[in-house]
Amino acid sequence: MLTDPTEVEREMDGLLLRSVMEEAAGREPLRGDLVAGAMALGRRRRARTRIALGSGITAVMALGVFAATTPWSAGGTATPAVTGSDPSPAALVDPDILADAEQVDRPREPVHVEPSPGEFSMAELTTAERKMQEEFQQGAAKDLDDMLYLQGVVHPVDLRVSQYQLKAGKFTYPLTFSIRPAEGNEAGEQRKCPERPAKRSTCDEFVMRDGTMATATTAPVGPSDLMGARVEFTFENQSVELSAAPDLVHGRSSPVTVEQLRTMARDSRITGPVKFVAAHPMEGM
């Protein structure tokens, strides 16, 4: 979740920023490469993020309160107060972007997965705890979707709050966004790769935005040769895993690269929710 207006601007690419500036000045938006499908979709989802998160989190920060609700408040997007001289956020974005933003903001239908005998599931939680976890999943799914929109659409899984699915046509790729208290060697902020990675695996260390070390791994998943990717790091004394697994049913390796996961790990849409879970631990993470 983006918690700083300057970070919101930094995450927006040059094309979106140019479009917003043009429309704020009353000119027609430039066309050309802006009509490319992937870039247009990216612009619209970034617009939704800017409007929803920029206004909502500013209101929370102004109150100086971070109550026990998820980073993505229930009940829809908050609307910021504006004066007669202030342009509304909607005035800075063209109507088709707002229309797509509304579509993307709709709740994601959770994917139902039956637990194995004796396996924990969200259905065992109290009503209040389950509601908080479901809200957390909805917000996380939208942010993951923003970062992976070229690969498919992200949905929450109702089995555990840490589980999601990336759907691309007939293919389904499991995603994990796990946040739990760091223990043992994980409690140290400097993650290290093993001296000898497992066969057909790779491991690289990289630096997070706060200067700590993290690891990025590619490895076969299960008995197959299909590849998955994973990054792991410690932040706010939480052990965080962000991973993408292959579609074992259809025999397809994950389309999410380890380089993408490295970029995502540094994004405040990932580190923001980690701060929330550090203050409000969730069972099943």
Side-chain angles (χ1 to χ4, degrees), residues 118-151:
E119 183 182 12
F120 169 83
S121 103
M122 290 171 63
E124 301 176 26
L125 298 170
T126 64
T127 300
E129 176 70 12
R130 183 171 182 176
K131 182 175 185 293
M132 182 172 70
Q133 290 200 9
E134 288 173 347
E135 291 175 0
F136 182 94
Q137 275 195 314
Q138 287 290 329
K142 291 174 183 177
D143 281 347
L144 291 169
D145 192 275
D146 279 343
M147 292 181 276
L148 295 172
Y149 66 88
L150 291 178
Q151 277 74 35

Side-chain angles (χ1 to χ4, degrees), residues 43-276:
R43 288 177 59 216
R44 291 162 183 167
R45 291 187 175 179
R46 285 177 174 82
R48 192 269 299 165
T49 300
R50 184 184 186 188
I51 295 168
L53 297 181
S55 61
I57 201 63
T58 299
V60 173
M61 294 173 67
L63 290 172
V65 175
F66 196 69
T69 56
T70 66
W72 309 272
S73 305
T77 300
T79 301
V82 294
T83 67
S85 60
D86 292 331
S88 68
L92 300 179
V93 187
D94 61 39
D96 70 308
I97 292 178
L98 289 175
D100 282 358
E102 181 180 357
Q103 178 69 28
V104 172
D105 259 339
R106 293 179 181 178
R108 308 297 176 90
E109 185 67 28
V111 177
H112 177 66
V113 175
E114 283 291 331
S116 302
E119 183 182 12
F120 169 83
S121 103
M122 290 171 63
E124 301 176 26
L125 298 170
T126 64
T127 300
E129 176 70 12
R130 183 171 182 176
K131 182 175 185 293
M132 182 172 70
Q133 290 200 9
E134 288 173 347
E135 291 175 0
F136 182 94
Q137 275 195 314
Q138 287 290 329
K142 291 174 183 177
D143 281 347
L144 291 169
D145 192 275
D146 279 343
M147 292 181 276
L148 295 172
Y149 66 88
L150 291 178
Q151 277 74 35
V153 178
V154 176
H155 291 268
V157 173
D158 67 1
L159 182 64
R160 299 176 76 91
V161 66
S162 60
Q163 302 302 307
Y164 303 83
Q165 288 185 358
L166 174 67
K167 292 183 175 292
K170 67 178 182 179
F171 304 110
T172 299
Y173 306 96
L175 301 176
T176 298
F177 180 23
S178 172
I179 308 165
R180 54 186 175 77
E183 298 177 352
N185 293 335
E186 296 175 346
E189 295 183 345
Q190 306 301 329
R191 294 297 184 103
K192 298 291 184 181
C193 288
E195 292 186 7
R196 295 182 179 180
K199 186 178 180 181
R200 298 192 63 242
S201 300
T202 66
C203 184
D204 294 298
E205 298 167 2
F206 66 99
V207 181
M208 294 288 289
R209 294 173 68 177
D210 62 356
T212 59
M213 297 299 296
T215 58
T217 305
T218 60
V221 176
S224 70
D225 290 334
L226 301 175
M227 302 298 289
R230 181 178 69 252
V231 297
E232 294 176 293
F233 59 95
T234 301
F235 183 72
E236 296 287 326
N237 203 34
Q238 302 295 300
S239 179
V240 184
E241 175 190 335
L242 190 60
S243 65
D247 182 337
L248 297 177
V249 174
H250 294 95
R252 297 269 296 220
S253 292
S254 169
V256 182
T257 67
V258 72
E259 289 79 12
Q260 282 180 286
L261 293 181
R262 286 171 57 148
T263 300
M264 292 167 62
R266 296 188 182 102
D267 195 302
S268 52
R269 287 170 289 186
I270 295 296
T271 56
V274 175
K275 293 180 180 180
F276 174 82

Side-chain angles (χ1 to χ4, degrees), residues 24-41:
R27 298 197 299 270
E28 289 294 324
L30 297 180
R31 296 303 175 184
D33 58 353
L34 294 183
V35 301
M39 186 59 69
L41 182 57

